[in-house]
Amino acid sequence: VQLQASGGGLVQAGGSLSLSCAASERIANNYAVGWFRQAPGKEREFVAGFSRSGRRIYYTDSVKGRFTIPRDYVAEKTVYLQMNSLKPEDTAVYYCAATWARWDEVRLHASEYDYWGQGTLVTVSS
């Protein structure tokens, strides 16, 4: 599967952005998907992800209550990440990734993903 992330940009602290990840084939029920980010000089970190079933969604602690993967992600070929109450520390390049996994398994580590989009830059100004 090929992935393409988009929707990044410059936003003031407290603002919102919605990222999209367009896939070349159906995502729903076929792949576990994750959103990752990488800030300058830092390692790529897990942000949010969901299982192949769509029933399990996991968020890293720093974004809980602020970021969501809409339940209607099953536009089948597109996955979204809604980011609210953005903070300067959210500034990073954001990537979407996909992999095959067990039905209700959420993959949390970048090394577990086989397919990656090219990344989209999110900059949050203070």
Side-chain angles (χ1 to χ4, degrees):
V1 61
Q2 294 180 327
L3 305 171
Q4 184 168 355
S6 61
L10 174 63
V11 63
Q12 288 188 336
S16 298
L17 280 174
S18 180
L19 303 185
S20 300
C21 178
S24 59
E25 61 186 74
R26 178 190 170 107
I27 286 287
N29 303 142
N30 287 340
Y31 295 93
V33 174
W35 283 97
F36 290 78
R37 65 186 179 188
Q38 188 166 19
K42 295 189 176 181
E43 293 187 354
R44 192 169 297 188
E45 65 170 349
F46 176 86
V47 175
F50 58 86
S51 62
R52 203 158 54 96
S53 68
R55 296 185 301 190
R56 294 191 63 207
I57 302 177
Y58 186 83
Y59 301 94
T60 196
D61 287 345
S62 62
V63 307
K64 283 181 181 177
R66 301 189 297 121
F67 291 12
T68 58
I69 296 177
R71 290 298 298 177
D72 61 349
Y73 81 93
V74 280
E76 297 197 359
K77 288 188 176 181
T78 306
V79 178
Y80 303 92
L81 180 67
Q82 178 64 41
M83 305 187 297
N84 299 326
S85 302
L86 283 161
K87 304 176 180 180
E89 51 263 44
D90 294 320
T91 295
V93 177
Y94 283 71
Y95 300 88
C96 58
T99 189
W100 190 91
R102 290 187 292 271
W103 189 239
D104 280 330
E105 181 181 16
V106 180
R107 296 285 178 92
L108 304 181
H109 304 287
S111 60
E112 297 177 300
Y113 285 81
D114 298 310
Y115 307 101
W116 290 86
Q118 84 288 1
T120 185
L121 176 63
V122 173
T123 304
V124 184
S125 62
S126 57

